[in-house]
C-alpha cells in the first residue's frame, strides 16, 4: 500500500493494546534486601546507623593507652660519663622558668645576660643573626654583657671551652646565656621571642638606662690600650749590669716586645662598663 511521505503517520496505541488484559499490567514487587547483622542476627531493612547499633560499637573498641615516657637525660658534654654540673642554690631560685635549660655558666655570668657575638661581616647570616638576637634582648630594656669574638680572641677561646664536646655548629655565634643557663643560638632564642617567653626568662635582671651610653667607650665596650696606644708593641731598653772586676761600660740594648695589657687588636675592655 502506497502512502504519501509528506503526511505524518498516526499510530493508534489503543489498537495495539486491544488484546491485552488488565492483569498483565501488574508487576511483582522486588524482594526486600536483607542486611546481615554483624552481631549474629539477620534483620530486614535494619538501619546500620541506629542509636542502639552505634552504641553497641562503643563497647567493641578498646584503644590502648599511650605510655608517657620520661624525658631522656642530657648527654654529657665531653662524651664520657662525667656528671652535669648543678647550678648554685641562689641561681636556681632566682628564676624557676630557667630550670628547663641546661646549666652552663660562662665566667662572671651568674646574674646577667651574656651573649657571644661577632661584628665581623665575613658571613652575612651570622652577622644578621647576632644583630637580631641583640636587638631582641635590648628591646626589653635589659643590660647585657656582649662578648665579641671578632674583637678579642680570648672570648673565642672562652666560647670554645664552654662548647667543648658539642657539635661544631654550636661554636658559631650568637650564643646566649642567662643567669648561667644556656638558651641556645639564634634559632632557639628567636623561637622563644615568637612564643612570647623571653620576658619571663629575663625577669629580675638589671635594666639599662634608656639613651645613656658609657662615658668611657660610648657603648663600644673596647678602648685602645693605655700603655701601647693600640700598637701592641713596647720599646724596652735593656741595661746590662756590670760584674765585679769588669772595666768599662756595658752597651744598652733597645728591643721591641709585645704589650701584655691588650689583645691582638691593641684593645682593652672598658673599665667602666665591662
Amino acid at each position: 500500500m502506497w502512502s504519501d511521505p509528506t503526511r505524518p503517520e498516526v499510530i493508534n496505541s489503543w489498537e495495539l493494546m486491544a488484546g491485552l488484559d488488565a492483569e498483565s499490567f501488574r508487576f511483582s514487587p522486588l524482594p526486600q534486601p536483607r542486611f546481615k547483622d554483624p552481631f549474629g542476627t539477620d534483620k530486614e531493612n535494619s538501619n546500620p546507623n541506629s542509636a542502639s547499633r552505634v552504641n553497641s560499637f562503643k563497647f567493641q573498641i578498646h584503644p590502648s593507652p599511650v605510655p608517657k615516657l620520661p624525658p631522656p637525660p642530657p648527654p654529657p658534654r665531653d662524651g664520657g660519663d662525667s656528671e652535669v654540673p648543678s647550678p648554685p642554690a641562689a641561681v636556681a631560685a632566682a628564676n624557676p622558668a630557667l630550670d628547663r635549660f641546661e646549666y652552663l655558666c660562662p665566667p662572671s655570668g651568674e646574674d646577667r645576660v651574656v651573649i657571644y657575638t661577632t661584628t665581623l661581616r665575613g658571613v652575612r647570616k651570622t652577622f644578621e643573626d647576632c644583630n637580631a638576637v641583640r636587638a631582641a634582648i635590648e628591646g626589653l630594656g635589659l643590660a647585657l654583657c656582649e662578648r665579641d669574638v671578632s674583637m678579642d680572641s680570648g672570648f673565642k677561646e672562652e666560647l670554645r671551652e664552654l662548647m667543648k664536646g658539642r657539635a661544631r655548629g654550636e661554636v658559631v655565634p650568637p650564643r646566649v646565656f642567662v643567669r648561667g643557663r644556656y638558651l641556645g643560638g639564634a634559632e632557639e632564642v628567636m623561637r622563644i621571642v615568637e612564643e612570647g617567653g623571653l620576658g619571663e626568662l629575663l625577669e629580675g635582671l638589671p635594666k639599662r638606662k634608656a639613651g645613656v651610653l658609657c662615658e668611657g667607650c660610648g657603648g663600644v665596650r673596647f678602648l685602645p690600650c693605655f700603655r701601647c696606644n693600640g700598637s701592641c708593641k713596647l720599646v724596652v731598653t735593656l741595661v746590662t749590669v756590670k760584674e765585679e772586676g769588669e772595666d768599662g761600660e756595658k752597651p744598652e740594648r733597645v728591643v721591641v716586645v709585645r704589650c701584655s695589657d691588650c689583645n691582638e687588636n691593641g684593645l682593652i675592655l672598658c673599665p667602666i662598663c665591662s
Side-chain angles (χ1 to χ4, degrees):
M1 181 179 179
W2 180 85
S3 62
D4 189 1
T6 59
R7 297 178 60 184
E9 183 178 3
V10 179
I11 299 176
N12 191 349
S13 58
W14 292 103
E15 294 179 358
L16 297 177
M17 299 173 61
L20 299 177
D21 53 359
E23 297 293 333
S24 60
F25 287 98
R26 297 182 179 180
F27 300 96
S28 60
L30 294 176
Q32 297 293 335
R34 299 173 61 86
F35 297 95
K36 185 177 176 83
D37 192 357
F39 301 99
T41 58
D42 293 337
K43 298 181 180 179
E44 294 183 0
N45 300 329
S46 60
N47 185 8
N49 296 325
S50 62
S52 60
R53 298 172 65 86
V54 171
N55 294 333
S56 61
F57 275 105
K58 295 181 180 179
F59 298 97
Q60 304 296 326
I61 301 175
H62 302 283
S64 58
V66 180
K68 294 183 179 180
L69 300 178
R77 292 175 53 192
D78 54 357
D81 298 332
S82 59
E83 297 182 357
V84 179
S86 58
V91 176
N95 190 349
L98 292 170
D99 293 344
R100 59 191 178 99
F101 297 97
E102 178 187 0
Y103 178 73
L104 188 62
C105 185
S108 303
E110 294 83 3
D111 198 21
R112 60 170 63 181
V113 180
V114 179
I115 171 175
Y116 290 87
T117 62
T118 178
T119 54
L120 190 64
R121 305 193 182 195
V123 181
R124 183 175 180 180
K125 184 179 184 304
T126 302
F127 176 75
E128 292 178 349
D129 289 344
C130 293
N131 291 341
V133 172
R134 185 192 305 109
I137 299 176
E138 289 182 343
L140 298 176
L142 293 175
L144 58 88
C145 177
E146 184 176 358
R147 300 178 180 179
D148 194 341
V149 299
S150 63
M151 299 290 287
D152 194 337
S153 60
F155 291 151
K156 184 185 299 184
E157 295 300 326
E158 188 175 288
L159 180 60
R160 287 178 179 175
E161 186 64 24
L162 285 171
M163 298 291 121
K164 187 176 180 180
R166 296 176 179 270
R168 193 172 184 180
E170 295 202 35
V171 188
V172 179
R175 298 291 145 184
V176 181
F177 301 83
V178 178
R179 294 185 188 270
R181 298 284 187 168
Y182 175 52
L183 265 63
E187 183 178 353
E188 294 81 4
V189 174
M190 297 312 296
R191 185 186 303 116
I192 296 174
V193 173
E194 293 176 356
E195 295 174 354
L198 186 61
E200 182 183 2
L201 299 178
L202 303 181
E203 185 178 356
L205 290 171
K207 303 283 186 177
R208 64 180 179 90
K209 297 181 180 179
V212 178
L213 297 177
C214 176
E215 297 179 357
C217 63
V220 183
R221 300 181 179 86
F222 286 95
L223 289 173
C225 180
F226 300 145
R227 189 177 180 188
C228 67
N229 297 323
S231 64
C232 301
K233 300 176 182 179
L234 291 176
V235 178
V236 179
T237 302
L238 300 180
V239 180
T240 306
V241 180
K242 292 191 301 180
E243 297 180 359
E244 295 182 1
E246 290 184 355
D247 297 333
E249 296 181 356
K250 293 289 184 178
E252 297 180 351
R253 295 180 55 192
V254 178
V255 295
V256 178
V257 296
R258 172 74 168 81
C259 178
S260 59
D261 293 349
C262 58
N263 60 15
E264 71 279 2
N265 295 319
L267 302 174
I268 61 172
L269 291 175
C270 178
I272 300 177
C273 63
S274 297

